[in-house]
Amino acid sequence: MPTVAAVRALSVVVLVVTALFGTAYVLGRTLTAEHPPAPPAGLFPSPTSGGPRTGTEPSRPRVPYPDAPATAGNSGTGSDRPQTTAPTKAPDLDAGTGGEHQQLPLEEGGPYGSRLTTGSSQVALTFDDGPDPKWTPQTLELLRRYQVKATFCLVGQNVQRYPDLVRAIVADGHTLCNHSWKHDLLLGSRSRQVIEADLLRTNQAIWAAAPGARIAYYRQPGGNWTYPVVLIAQELGMTALHWTVDPKDWNRPGAGNIAAMVTGSTMPGSVVLLHDAGGDRQGTIIALGTILPNLVQRFQLDALPTGAA
């Protein structure tokens, strides 16, 4: 018959073993909850290169929204990535009744599906961060001189300050693009409510300045795209717009470098990123004196299509 000491020793062993199993179970559940398996390689486009994302890069976390409406490419059951469509042929930009333009869809290969190209042989010049009372009028004057239509990505605070410049942009036939309320570089990582409110506020300011204006595109400040901001822009009727050619004119590399980069890198279908605000843009204005005559001789330059109003 076992002694009292043996029984006590056996009880201690049983308690220790039970505690170890319990700790292992809790630890396993915790690790599973905080570190789910990485998504398959290539599931998301890279936010920097446009190539496939490996699923191990932490810089652009995927933030699913379970309340997102089910659409094509968004079943609401895990396949909730925005629908991306790579055109099999260049779209007819004059298709539709009354000369209305076909809005561009999202593009396979762009950061989180954002648009990289015009989808045709046309080249699109885009100007960010405006309007600005000094640089936007000079930009508009140069575009008029060379009879070029462009796309202006507007910051809401500037729209509110200079509504007359928004009306001048619209009057000249340029396309409008939402560029957030105050150029928040981290907007894409904020909550759904914050992102949506920011984009809506900017649209409302644009419409207050130019009632009925079509806002077909959204451009994320700094190109810091995330899945949620692309999805929300799409839900609000705007295509996420990235770019193909970036001379980094915001960094003021000099007019010669800006012009050389744009004229040397632009090809059919390019979306060119330039700035008409956000700092001293004298270099960009001077560079446009070279860029515009060069590109109009080589390509068809036009504003991005806006779709039916």
Side-chain angles (χ1 to χ4, degrees), residues 36-139:
L43 181 59
F44 300 110
S46 166
T48 55
S49 67
R53 183 178 177 132
T54 64
T56 60
E57 302 162 2
S59 59
R60 297 291 191 274
R62 177 177 181 270
V63 183
Y65 288 142
D67 57 341
T71 60
N74 175 14
S75 65
T77 58
S79 299
D80 51 357
R81 179 187 174 195
Q83 179 184 8
T84 58
T85 305
T88 56
K89 64 177 182 178
D92 180 2
L93 299 183
D94 293 318
T97 59
E100 294 171 348
H101 286 175
Q102 173 185 339
Q103 183 180 351
L104 299 180
L106 295 177
E107 185 171 24
E108 199 69 50
Y112 290 94
S114 58
R115 192 79 210 177
L116 286 172
T117 70
T118 65
S120 73
S121 61
Q122 293 180 339
V123 168
L125 298 183
T126 65
F127 295 90
D128 281 18
D129 299 352
D132 179 273
K134 181 174 183 179
W135 309 115
T136 300
Q138 295 183 60
T139 302

Side-chain angles (χ1 to χ4, degrees), residues 175-191:
T175 291
L176 301 184
C177 169
N178 182 321
H179 196 33
S180 82
W181 178 254
K182 60 178 181 179
H183 206 270
D184 180 3
L185 294 173
L186 300 178
L187 180 61
S189 64
R190 305 196 189 282
S191 71

